[in-house]
Amino acid sequence: MAEANNGNMTPTEKMQKQYDRLIAARNYHYDNLNKWLMTFYVIIGALLVAFYNLYPHNIAMLIAILGYIISIGAFLSVKGYFYWEVNWIMLIHHFEKVHFKSRDERIYSIFANKETNNSLNPIKGANVSTTKVALVMTILIILVWGMIVVFMGINYLPNFNIKIPEKSINIILSIIGSCIMTIVLLPLGCLTLQSNLDNLDDMELTKENIAEPQKHKRNN
């Protein structure tokens, strides 16, 4: 029945349905970000409380490692969300610029005034990406957990008859160790945890061709 109805649609109705589906997919993806971040941050917060209550017991080390791993997971999730966010908004921008020739008809590919209310004044708005802020904050959380893991690991050295360096040196080593681990693990996570896009055609949209019709272009 649905197929029959789709066959009876006018070109304008089909275009509107496609546009509505694009908007719905974009909004669904936006809504999920809050759920993902809330889940990760609640877990990270709970681990931080558990670590505080259990330190310096040995179990605290395991909690710190878990906090570090989950923080990396949170970062990769936000990064993956950002990737899909750009995809959906580019598709919407492309659709509007191809089908809505008048700028007054567009919604997502138009801006009222890019400079209005873009201010450093603390009580005014500014052009700041919420997703980029989330990425920066999550990286900081990762580095702090990493520092804790390395710091506690160094404190275990006497168990292997290795002398612990001075506390100031220990802190410096913890910072360096956390940075090195993070620099290695984040790209590794990006490479090994990718979505499978094999069945998706790539329109290869850029700033230069985003307004050009692509309906005859297909990937082989």
Side-chain angles (χ1 to χ4, degrees):
M1 186 70 178
E3 293 294 331
N5 291 336
N6 288 338
N8 294 329
M9 285 185 178
T10 65
T12 301
E13 290 172 336
K14 288 182 179 179
M15 183 184 72
Q16 184 61 48
K17 184 174 182 180
Q18 182 181 357
Y19 184 60
D20 292 341
R21 291 172 66 183
L22 273 175
I23 302 301
R26 175 254 191 196
N27 290 342
Y28 175 79
H29 196 65
Y30 276 20
D31 291 341
N32 277 339
L33 174 65
N34 293 329
K35 299 175 184 176
W36 297 337
L37 284 181
M38 183 62 65
T39 300
F40 277 114
Y41 290 157
V42 166
I43 295 173
I44 292 170
L47 289 173
L48 184 60
V49 172
F51 176 83
Y52 177 81
N53 290 327
L54 293 173
Y55 185 83
H57 299 292
N58 291 334
I59 190 66
M61 180 64 167
L62 295 177
I63 292 175
I65 293 174
L66 185 59
Y68 181 71
I69 294 173
I70 290 178
S71 297
I72 289 178
F75 173 84
L76 293 175
S77 293
V78 177
K79 194 171 179 64
Y81 163 83
F82 201 2
Y83 178 79
W84 283 96
E85 173 190 8
V86 172
N87 169 71
W88 289 117
I89 201 63
M90 285 187 70
L91 288 176
I92 293 172
H93 288 177
H94 174 72
F95 188 95
E96 288 190 345
K97 290 183 177 182
V98 169
H99 296 285
F100 303 151
K101 300 303 180 182
S102 171
R103 296 201 299 176
D104 290 336
E105 296 177 318
R106 303 174 191 170
I107 299 175
Y108 294 97
S109 60
I110 202 74
F111 210 91
N113 190 316
K114 293 181 180 180
E115 299 304 320
T116 299
N117 209 32
N118 184 21
S119 172
L120 297 179
N121 188 320
I123 60 173
K124 290 187 177 180
N127 179 16
V128 178
S129 170
T130 303
T131 310
K132 291 180 180 179
V133 172
L135 286 172
V136 171
M137 297 302 296
T138 309
I139 287 177
L140 292 177
I141 294 173
I142 292 172
L143 292 175
V144 171
W145 276 117
M147 288 173 57
I148 294 173
V149 170
V150 176
F151 186 87
M152 293 188 68
I154 293 174
N155 286 336
Y156 281 121
L157 292 179
N159 296 330
F160 303 95
N161 296 320
I162 301 175
K163 184 179 179 182
I164 298 178
E166 296 181 4
K167 188 174 182 179
S168 58
I169 302 299
N170 194 344
I171 293 175
I172 294 174
L173 291 176
S174 299
I175 295 173
I176 295 174
S178 178
C179 291
I180 292 175
M181 289 193 308
T182 303
I183 289 172
V184 171
L185 292 176
L186 291 187
L188 184 62
C190 290
L191 292 174
T192 58
L193 299 174
Q194 294 182 357
S195 300
N196 187 348
L197 306 179
D198 292 343
N199 294 324
L200 300 180
D201 288 342
D202 190 351
M203 296 179 68
E204 300 179 3
L205 293 178
T206 64
K207 291 181 180 179
E208 289 71 28
N209 68 358
I210 198 170
E212 298 175 6
Q214 304 282 309
K215 61 181 180 180
H216 298 302
K217 182 177 181 180
R218 291 183 60 85
N219 290 347
N220 295 322

